[in-house]
Amino acid sequence: MDPLVSTAWLEAELGAPDLRVIDATAFLPGDPRDARAEYEAAHIPGAVRFDIEEIADTESPLPHMLPGAHKFASRMQSLGLGDGNRFVVYDNSPLHTSARVWWMLKVFGVHFAAILDGGMPKWMAEGRPFEIGRDLHRHGHFTAALDREGVADKGFVLGLIGQGTHEIVDARPASRFAGEGGEPRPGLASGHIPGAKSLPQTEFFNADNTWKSREELRALFERAGVDFGKPMVTSCGSGVTAAVPLFAAYLLRKHDVRLYDGSWSEWGADPDLPKAVGA
């Protein structure tokens, strides 16, 4: 299964016994939109709602950090998601949160996972079928094994500064990267990780919410000064939109990419960590 599937492909596959569809919609703190209410008002037939705030390490002071393997497996099972399934993830969020859930699936060992190109906006604009109400499903059996090579922590990122061995790609808006204006979460410094390159997640998408072509994606990285010959770490505000450049790199067959799960929510809150400002 291609990691990026079309709306036409998904509609034709609906009802396949091994296919599971996941609604990964989530929003920034303070956004008046309600992901649960929107899911219940309209979702792709058979889709289950994946709540990144709850399927997380809820004991961590940082937002939606990866849960442990046991909790992830338990939540996947409760959603009726199991081993051997093919997963298609979509969202209806300006944060393109399907990329975060796709990454979570991959780091916990899922082999067949894809993102729906264009997400819910394209699906609805094309008049494709949808359901209302809550999800109904049977219990599944899911085995989770965390691939730690896909995750970066604070210590790992700190060790990269000044070494020139990796590229650090920041998916936040350019103004936040430059340290202009405040962060949406309180208590965070402004700026970016020293040596990071700015590549806002919004630049990866066309006006109709579809992903840009692979040629355009490669050009984005090149214009940002990212050396594809080096391993990459992606970062953002809280580890969600960092999955966008990671997925784009995956589409370009680059797999030596880690996501910094704590991202600026962790880095910007620690006064002892180095910070840079400016473009």
Side-chain angles (χ1 to χ4, degrees):
M1 186 170 66
D2 193 275
L4 187 64
V5 299
S6 70
T7 51
W9 181 92
L10 179 57
E11 184 174 4
E13 288 288 307
L14 289 178
D18 65 334
L19 182 73
R20 298 293 183 271
V21 183
I22 297 173
D23 185 320
T25 303
F27 305 108
L28 278 172
D31 193 309
R33 293 176 64 184
D34 183 327
R36 164 59 73 177
E38 291 189 14
Y39 167 86
E40 293 182 4
H43 57 266
I44 293 175
V48 297
R49 181 174 179 269
F50 188 110
D51 185 350
I52 64 171
E53 300 297 341
E54 198 283 323
I55 306 177
D57 179 2
T58 51
E59 296 183 2
S60 171
L62 299 171
H64 41 248
M65 292 285 285
L66 275 178
H70 178 76
K71 179 174 181 178
F72 188 81
S74 174
R75 295 300 186 271
M76 291 287 284
Q77 291 169 6
S78 69
L79 291 173
L81 307 175
D83 298 330
N85 288 155
R86 294 178 297 155
F87 299 99
V88 175
V89 190
Y90 74 90
D91 68 72
N92 188 15
S93 170
L95 305 177
H96 299 103
T97 43
S98 54
R100 167 75 185 193
V101 173
W102 175 89
W103 171 74
M104 292 176 70
L105 293 171
K106 297 300 286 184
V107 296
F108 278 114
V110 167
H111 294 293
F112 304 108
I115 289 176
L116 177 64
D117 200 14
M120 195 63 167
K122 190 170 190 289
W123 184 273
M124 297 298 283
E126 294 170 345
R128 299 188 186 275
F130 64 90
E131 292 179 338
I132 62 174
R134 300 192 176 190
D135 46 317
L136 299 173
H137 45 261
R138 298 178 179 178
H139 200 78
H141 182 273
F142 187 90
T143 305
L146 178 62
D147 175 12
R148 298 192 180 278
E149 292 299 310
V151 188
D153 61 16
K154 179 172 64 175
F156 180 84
V157 177
L158 182 61
L160 301 180
I161 294 177
Q163 300 303 307
T165 58
H166 289 62
E167 292 285 17
I168 302 173
V169 176
D170 191 320
R172 292 176 299 158
S175 60
R176 289 170 60 191
F177 178 90
E180 301 167 355
E183 288 288 314
R185 290 181 170 83
L188 301 183
S190 297
H192 58 266
I193 298 168
K197 307 287 177 58
S198 177
L199 193 44
Q201 63 96 9
T202 52
E203 295 189 17
F204 291 87
F205 300 92
N206 297 308
D208 66 351
N209 202 49
T210 57
W211 289 76
K212 291 183 176 178
S213 70
R214 283 162 171 79
E215 293 76 14
E216 291 171 311
L217 295 177
R218 186 174 294 278
L220 282 175
F221 284 109
E222 290 175 354
R223 286 198 297 271
V226 176
D227 183 350
F228 246 47
K230 297 178 180 179
M232 185 187 302
V233 173
T234 62
S235 180
C236 61
S238 63
V240 175
T241 60
V244 170
L246 183 146
F247 182 74
Y250 189 90
L251 290 176
L252 297 172
R253 302 183 183 279
K254 182 173 179 59
H255 298 162
D256 55 344
V257 185
R258 297 176 184 239
L259 187 148
Y260 176 22
D261 200 20
S263 283
W264 198 253
S265 292
E266 179 176 50
W267 197 276
D270 190 335
D272 296 326
L273 293 176
K275 300 167 185 70
V277 295

